[in-house]
Amino acid sequence: MNQPSKLFLYVGSYSGADVNGIHVLQFEPEQGGALTLLSGVKGVANPTFINVDEQRLRLYSIGEKVNGHGVKEGEVIAYSVERESGALSEISRTETMLAEGAIATTTCHIARDSGSKFLVVASYHGGQIGLISLDAEGKTVRLTDFAVHSGRGAHPERQDRPHPHSATFSPDERFLFVCDLGIDVIRAYRIHAEKETLELHGDTPLHPGAGPRHFAFHPDGRSAYVINEVDSTITSFTYDAAAGTLSPVVTVPTLPEDYTEENTCAEIALSPDGRYLYGSNRGHDSIVVYAVDPATARLTLVEHTFTHGGHPRHFALTPGGDYLIAANRDSNNLVVFTRDSASGKLTFTGHEAQVPKPVCVKPVYLKA
């Protein structure tokens, strides 16, 4: 029986195409979470969000390019993953939504179905969602469909137009939930596998000025949670899997009551056992921890933990949930915390690694 051999971290970042933009590190649990930088890849501008298929040894990244009119557009790049070293080699590259006029269609998020038939990308600036097909080797093929959002939200600057920020598959993958920060909506789609198209299923509205960014399902599949970037809150929902609908339960703050300075939220995740929820604050520079009642989707505050850096754009729990790694974009560091499974609380290990402008971190076990 194969056992996990090495735990790698793949980190996407803001970068030019002439420098390493995706970084590969080894994570050492037996050394208390020490990090060692192994390698990196260049040749793509701003590979800020990534997705890893550890079973098929593939990594997918968003990137951006400039069209003939000087307007930025998105692309997706597929890499093969070398099992022993974790090193990456590019195997395909495909453009996503084309820009119309002066509005950029660069992307900010990438998701993949478990069967590795499709990638889904979100264009924050372009107000669009794109569907990209994959072949049997895990290479990107083409953009097969895209959906354009319309409208605006309550905030005059942050919500002047649609801003899709992420796409999350339901546990059974019958539905795809897209958080649109600009119009305060979580929009659900179905993917028609044969036609390779996106089909609108329905909307779940958020309170005005929320700015939904990232979304996560509870491990039991009966509730879901969204972190709202604009007003620094988290909203919980019960989930009807048969109907593919969300029913809001409660909205809670991500910040301490006495904090009055500027803040925006970023990432959200649940512990593997579903008992605790984690969200990142950029400004307060903390991870907020809530205890979860799975039966009701209600939340109870546990703590706020300083991320030992500035602007925690993303974070991730290691497989099993023993550690949390925070990616602090503005202080150029990854910071490792241990996680107490009983209390949900985080403790700084003293281990960190310097990575330029990290935006996304994905811990992955590659089996021997």
Side-chain angles (χ1 to χ4, degrees):
M1 181 176 179
N2 289 337
Q3 297 295 324
S5 56
K6 294 179 181 179
L7 181 55
F8 294 98
L9 297 185
Y10 292 93
V11 182
S13 66
Y14 281 116
S15 69
D18 58 338
V19 298
N20 287 342
I22 303 175
H23 309 268
V24 185
L25 298 93
Q26 186 166 348
F27 186 92
E28 303 283 0
E30 63 274 11
Q31 295 182 26
L35 297 172
T36 302
L37 181 63
L38 300 177
S39 62
V41 292
K42 60 181 67 174
V44 55
N46 292 331
T48 53
F49 216 86
I50 57 177
N51 179 280
V52 185
D53 183 349
E54 62 267 34
Q55 300 301 319
R56 296 172 176 83
L57 296 175
R58 296 289 183 263
L59 181 145
Y60 302 97
S61 174
I62 61 173
E64 64 181 48
K65 60 188 181 67
V66 179
N67 67 16
H69 301 286
V71 181
K72 292 181 179 180
E73 297 176 335
E75 58 182 358
V76 292
I77 304 93
Y79 299 88
S80 64
V81 179
E82 203 283 315
R83 189 185 299 274
E84 290 299 318
S85 67
L88 303 174
S89 300
E90 183 177 333
I91 58 173
S92 69
R93 185 178 296 226
T94 300
E95 63 186 14
T96 54
M97 293 81 71
L98 298 179
E100 294 184 5
I103 298 177
T105 53
T106 51
T107 51
C108 61
H109 188 271
I110 187 168
R112 175 184 52 85
D113 69 299
S114 61
S116 290
K117 295 180 180 179
F118 297 103
L119 300 173
V120 181
V121 293
S123 176
Y124 177 91
H125 295 291
Q128 303 177 42
I129 298 296
L131 185 68
I132 297 99
S133 58
L134 298 172
D135 67 14
E137 296 181 357
K139 296 179 180 179
T140 56
V141 179
R142 66 185 181 93
L143 177 75
T144 66
D145 196 17
F146 64 95
V148 181
H149 292 190
S150 62
R152 61 184 302 150
H155 195 287
E157 297 175 358
R158 298 298 314 283
Q159 299 180 309
D160 60 325
R161 54 194 170 98
H163 291 304
H165 216 306
S166 64
T168 304
F169 284 94
S170 63
D172 60 9
E173 298 192 345
R174 293 175 59 227
F175 304 99
L176 180 75
F177 290 88
V178 175
C179 292
D180 194 313
L181 180 150
I183 58 176
D184 288 327
V185 162
I186 301 174
R187 179 158 293 170
Y189 292 91
R190 288 179 181 267
I191 295 177
H192 194 298
E194 288 73 29
K195 295 181 180 179
E196 299 184 327
T197 55
L198 293 164
E199 299 181 347
L200 180 63
H201 177 66
D203 286 351
T204 303
L206 275 292
H207 57 276
R213 178 185 170 101
H214 283 187
F215 184 75
F217 279 95
H218 193 276
D220 69 12
R222 291 183 287 186
S223 60
Y225 307 81
V226 67
I227 194 159
N228 300 310
E229 176 178 331
V230 177
D231 75 349
S232 299
T233 61
I234 292 170
T235 301
S236 67
F237 308 86
T238 54
Y239 179 59
D240 185 330
T245 55
L246 300 165
S247 299
V249 175
V250 67
T251 296
V252 297
T254 64
L255 295 168
E257 291 183 2
D258 59 353
Y259 186 81
T260 59
E261 297 180 40
E262 184 178 348
N263 186 78
T264 56
C265 291
E267 179 62 339
I268 188 169
L270 288 115
S271 59
D273 61 9
R275 295 178 60 197
Y276 296 98
L277 179 148
Y278 301 83
S280 65
N281 286 305
R282 300 173 294 174
H284 190 248
D285 294 337
S286 66
I287 303 295
V288 63
V289 185
Y290 273 95
V292 177
D293 182 345
T296 64
R298 293 197 171 274
L299 302 169
T300 303
L301 180 65
V302 174
E303 68 171 359
H304 295 85
T305 299
F306 174 49
T307 59
H308 291 265
H311 195 99
R313 178 87 178 206
H314 195 256
F315 67 86
L317 296 169
T318 56
D322 294 332
Y323 295 89
L324 182 148
I325 304 104
N328 294 306
R329 189 197 68 184
D330 290 355
S331 53
N332 304 305
N333 63 338
L334 304 176
V335 179
V336 181
F337 300 85
T338 56
R339 192 187 73 89
D340 185 274
S341 60
S343 68
K345 293 183 176 182
L346 304 173
T347 302
F348 177 45
T349 62
H351 293 295
E352 57 183 292
Q354 296 300 304
V355 173
K357 298 188 182 303
V359 177
C360 177
V361 55
K362 298 287 185 179
V364 177
Y365 267 121
L366 297 184
K367 298 181 184 297

